[in-house]
């Protein structure tokens, strides 16, 4: 009998069989992967082996208050088991509450010894503040003008040149390199010079609520090392977790050299007593669940017990620290966030605000008008920029400097502000900037927003301000828009975005995203 011939397979049928084989291979791979992701349930009768060491997991940062939804199938929970599903949901809610608790402000007094930031760089602790006791405040003279219209008119180009040369002679701090002066753990968001003229003392606040203190008058000490190489110990730096979120500003009391005020996105304002080593909360919403993130703070030169603050919700608040928080006055000024504001140093009833709505606005606290939610200080005038305005800084000479995302620094001049009547209407021409400076203000996500900061009481009577430069410098400008200096130095590896003048002396500090300090003296 002749052998049977194999059936002839068409090209189409052969292709179909190849596809089936390929699909089966893919399904087998998926099954193997699923077995690794979703392990099978342990058999009850099987004896338990040695308990495995739990795998360390990185903490999950939950940005939203509600529990994050997760698939119960991927978690290995039987879809028909209501008890296990409910247990899984409860565990997720607990994790979300823990993440939320990390960002809640801490009410009441804080002992600095209990909130010291851990790490070798900040071993100064409370003992590191011992050198700051007995500080004196000089130079602050509320109500006394250090610069008036006559000074402005008599300023000549020759004196400006002399000033420019003097500012350019400022030298980078040499006792320690910038890399060794890590004043806070995270990105510096705010800074402040203590007003004492005895020695340079710099405060810095980072994005996670840590406050660092550095006394630049200390001398390097040789490190105790077995190696023959010469070396010096790290500088003494103290850092404390005084807030649970970003510290947005520092202010110093005009009457108490030991009092340092800080504001934060955690909705609180605290007063640090350097002598006692205690941080006391002086303002926070009565309702602990209320979110009132504070973007800036200032203290009137005429009343050391009054605090004025702005919020990310577009509000301005005024609070007497001798009264209860419920008695604070809070006015909704604009619909979008106020990024920065300041009070006129000699006319503290005048407020300049910078907002995401692209405007600089000037308000008068002497005239509060309206009813209910519409109650607010009188608006005297405004100027609109092409893009959002980051900060508005008053000088004691009546200038306002603003920085904005249209890559401009604008300088406005109001030398007659002391003669304004309550609620006066400023004309459009009065609100126009007298100088505009091209300046790269595109900081992006990882660099703190650039903000001009005037020297409050310059010893020479010449008003000037400092602002960070994206090319890793600190720029110094005069009130007439002339650039006086561009400060640089070795070891600056990041933008010193947060720049501040000492209130009276020619000391300049800059802080970067690495938490490190640059200092020129």
């Amino acid at each position: 009998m002749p052998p049977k011939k194999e059936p002839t397979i068409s090209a189409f049928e052969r292709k179909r069989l190849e596809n089936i084989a390929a699909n089966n291979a893919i399904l087998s791979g998926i099954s193997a992967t699923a077995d690794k992701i979703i392990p099978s349930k342990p058999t009850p009768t099987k004896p338990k082996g040695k308990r495995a060491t739990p795998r360390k997991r990185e903490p999950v940062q939950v940005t939203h208050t509600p529990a994050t939804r997760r698939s119960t199938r991927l978690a290995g929970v039987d879809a028909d088991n209501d008890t296990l599903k409910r247990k899984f949901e409860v565990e997720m809610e607990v994790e979300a509450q823990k993440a939320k608790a990390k960002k809640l402000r801490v009410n009441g007094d804080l002992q600095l010894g209990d909130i010291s930031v851990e790490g070798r760089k900040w071993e100064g602790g409370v003992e590191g503040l011992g050198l700051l006791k007995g500080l004196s405040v000089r130079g602050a003279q509320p109500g006394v003008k250090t610069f008036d219209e006559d000074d402005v008119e008599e300023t000549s180009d020759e004196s400006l040149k002399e000033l420019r040369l003097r500012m350019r002679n400022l030298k980078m701090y040499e006792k320690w390199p910038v890399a060794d002066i890590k004043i806070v753990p995270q990105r510096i968001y705010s800074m402040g010079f203590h007003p004492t003229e005895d020695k340079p003392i710099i405060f810095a606040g980072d994005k996670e609520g840590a406050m660092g203190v550095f006394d630049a008058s200390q001398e390097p000490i040789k490190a105790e090392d077995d190696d023959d190489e010469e070396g010096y110990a790290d500088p003494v730096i103290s850092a404390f977790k005084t807030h649970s979120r970003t510290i947005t500003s520092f202010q110093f009391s005009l009457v108490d050299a030991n009092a340092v005020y800080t504001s934060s996105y955690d909705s609180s304002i605290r007063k640090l007593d350097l002598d006692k080593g205690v941080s006391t909360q002086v303002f926070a919403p009565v309702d602990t669940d209320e979110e009132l993130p504070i973007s800036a703070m200032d203290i009137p030169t005429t009343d050391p017990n009054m605090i004025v603050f702005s919020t990310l919700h577009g509000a301005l608040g005024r609070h007497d620290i001798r009264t209860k928080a419920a008695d604070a006055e809070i006015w909704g000024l604009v619909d979008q966030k106020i990024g920065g504001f300041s009070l006129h140093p000699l006319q503290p009833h005048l407020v300049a605000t910078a907002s995401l709505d692209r405007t600089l606005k000037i308000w008068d606290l002497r005239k509060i008008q309206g009813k209910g939610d519409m109650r607010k200080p009188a608006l005297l005038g405004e100027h609109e920029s092409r893009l959002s305005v980051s900060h508005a800084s008053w000088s004691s000479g009546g200038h306002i400097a603003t920085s904005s995302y249209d890559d401009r620094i604008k300088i406005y001049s109001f030398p007659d502000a002391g003669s304004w009547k309550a609620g006066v209407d400023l004309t459009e021409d009065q609100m126009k900037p007298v100088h505009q400076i091209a300046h790269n203000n595109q900081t992006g996500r990882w660099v703190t927003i650039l903000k001009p900061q005037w020297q409050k009481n310059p010893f020479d009577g010449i008003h000037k301000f400092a602002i960070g430069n994206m090319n890793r410098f600190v720029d110094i400008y005069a009130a007439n828009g002339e650039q006086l200096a561009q400060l640089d130095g070795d070891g600056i590896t990041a933008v010193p975005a947060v720049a501040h003048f000492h209130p009276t002396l020619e000391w300049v500090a800059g802080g970067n995203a690495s938490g490190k300090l640059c200092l020129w003296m």
Side-chain angles (χ1 to χ4, degrees), residues 172 439-440 447 450-451 466-477 483 485-500 508-512 518 520:
M172 173 71 81
H439 196 270
N440 180 10
V447 177
L450 306 182
K451 298 181 178 182
I467 186 172
N469 183 300
M470 288 301 293
N471 289 344
R472 299 182 180 177
F473 305 117
V474 170
D475 292 330
I476 308 297
Y477 291 96
Q483 185 163 3
Q486 191 169 75
L487 304 179
D488 61 0
D490 296 333
I492 302 178
T493 58
V495 178
V498 184
H500 270 266
V508 180
N512 64 30
C518 308
W520 293 269

Side-chain angles (χ1 to χ4, degrees), residues 349 364-369 376-380 422-424:
H349 53 271
D364 193 340
L365 296 178
R366 295 175 299 180
K367 187 176 182 180
I368 309 298
Q369 52 193 14
K376 65 180 68 173
L379 176 62
L380 306 186
V424 65

Side-chain angles (χ1 to χ4, degrees), residues 15-131:
K15 185 65 176 177
R16 187 179 72 85
L17 294 174
E18 290 175 355
N19 289 340
I20 291 174
N23 290 338
N24 288 334
I26 292 174
L27 290 174
S28 299
I30 292 176
S31 298
T33 303
D35 290 339
K36 295 178 181 179
I37 297 175
I38 310 175
S40 57
K41 297 180 181 179
T43 306
T45 57
K46 188 175 180 179
K48 294 183 180 180
K50 184 178 180 181
R51 191 170 185 178
T53 303
R55 178 168 58 91
K56 292 185 178 180
R57 296 182 178 180
E58 295 294 329
V60 178
Q61 294 183 356
V62 181
T63 55
H64 299 286
T65 301
T68 305
R69 296 182 63 186
R70 275 181 55 188
S71 169
T72 55
R73 178 182 62 81
L74 292 179
V77 177
D78 190 349
D80 297 328
N81 194 326
D82 292 337
T83 302
L84 290 178
K85 287 179 67 177
R86 179 54 187 159
K87 179 181 178 182
F88 178 78
E89 292 173 357
V90 170
E91 290 176 352
M92 291 302 300
E93 290 176 0
V94 171
E95 290 298 324
Q97 291 298 324
K98 288 180 179 179
K100 179 182 177 181
K102 291 181 180 179
K103 293 188 176 182
L104 291 178
R105 65 176 180 271
V106 180
N107 296 316
D109 295 350
L110 298 175
Q111 297 291 332
L112 297 188
D114 300 331
I115 58 174
S116 295
V117 174
E118 296 181 356
R120 182 175 59 87
K121 287 287 184 181
W122 308 284
E123 292 178 347
V126 179
E127 292 77 11
L129 299 181
L131 299 175

Side-chain angles (χ1 to χ4, degrees), residues 42-280:
T43 306
T45 57
K46 188 175 180 179
K48 294 183 180 180
K50 184 178 180 181
R51 191 170 185 178
T53 303
R55 178 168 58 91
K56 292 185 178 180
R57 296 182 178 180
E58 295 294 329
V60 178
Q61 294 183 356
V62 181
T63 55
H64 299 286
T65 301
T68 305
R69 296 182 63 186
R70 275 181 55 188
S71 169
T72 55
R73 178 182 62 81
L74 292 179
V77 177
D78 190 349
D80 297 328
N81 194 326
D82 292 337
T83 302
L84 290 178
K85 287 179 67 177
R86 179 54 187 159
K87 179 181 178 182
F88 178 78
E89 292 173 357
V90 170
E91 290 176 352
M92 291 302 300
E93 290 176 0
V94 171
E95 290 298 324
Q97 291 298 324
K98 288 180 179 179
K100 179 182 177 181
K102 291 181 180 179
K103 293 188 176 182
L104 291 178
R105 65 176 180 271
V106 180
N107 296 316
D109 295 350
L110 298 175
Q111 297 291 332
L112 297 188
D114 300 331
I115 58 174
S116 295
V117 174
E118 296 181 356
R120 182 175 59 87
K121 287 287 184 181
W122 308 284
E123 292 178 347
V126 179
E127 292 77 11
L129 299 181
L131 299 175
L132 308 187
K133 294 185 178 181
L135 295 176
S136 61
V137 177
R138 295 199 296 266
Q141 299 178 353
V144 178
K145 290 187 176 181
T146 59
F147 195 80
D148 55 22
E149 295 181 20
D150 293 336
D151 294 323
V152 175
E153 295 296 332
E154 294 172 1
T155 301
S156 64
D157 291 339
E158 184 177 350
S159 62
L160 177 61
K161 182 178 180 180
E162 180 183 352
L163 173 62
R164 180 175 291 164
L165 292 173
R166 192 172 76 241
M167 293 303 302
R168 287 179 178 175
N169 287 331
L170 293 180
K171 300 298 182 183
M172 173 71 81
Y173 184 71
E174 296 179 345
K175 293 181 180 180
W176 282 276
V178 173
D180 289 348
I181 315 177
K182 188 172 176 63
I183 191 170
V184 286
Q186 302 296 329
R187 172 162 59 96
I188 294 177
Y189 195 92
S190 57
M191 294 185 72
F193 257 109
H194 192 283
T196 182
E197 297 178 356
D198 298 335
K199 50 188 175 182
I201 299 172
I202 302 96
F203 290 77
D206 73 9
K207 68 174 185 177
E208 293 188 355
M211 179 194 69
V213 187
F214 175 62
D215 179 358
S217 69
Q218 61 184 287
E219 294 296 333
I221 300 175
K222 286 189 177 182
E224 296 180 1
D225 199 342
D226 295 335
D227 297 336
D228 295 332
E229 296 181 2
E230 292 186 0
Y232 292 91
D234 289 336
V236 177
I237 300 174
S238 299
F240 310 97
K241 193 75 163 59
T242 54
H243 291 274
S244 61
R245 296 178 64 186
T246 303
I247 296 178
T248 55
S249 59
F250 286 87
Q251 291 295 331
F252 300 88
S253 172
L254 298 174
V255 296
D256 183 1
N258 290 308
V260 182
Y261 294 88
T262 54
S263 61
S264 171
Y265 284 163
D266 68 6
S267 308
S268 72
I269 297 174
R270 304 190 72 89
K271 174 186 175 183
L272 170 64
D273 190 316
L274 294 173
D275 188 40
K276 297 179 181 178
V278 177
S279 174
T280 303

Side-chain angles (χ1 to χ4, degrees), residues 272-291:
L272 170 64
D273 190 316
L274 294 173
D275 188 40
K276 297 179 181 178
V278 177
S279 174
T280 303
Q281 183 173 280
V282 295
F283 173 78
V286 177
D287 184 355
T288 55
D289 292 329
E290 180 180 355
E291 287 285 336

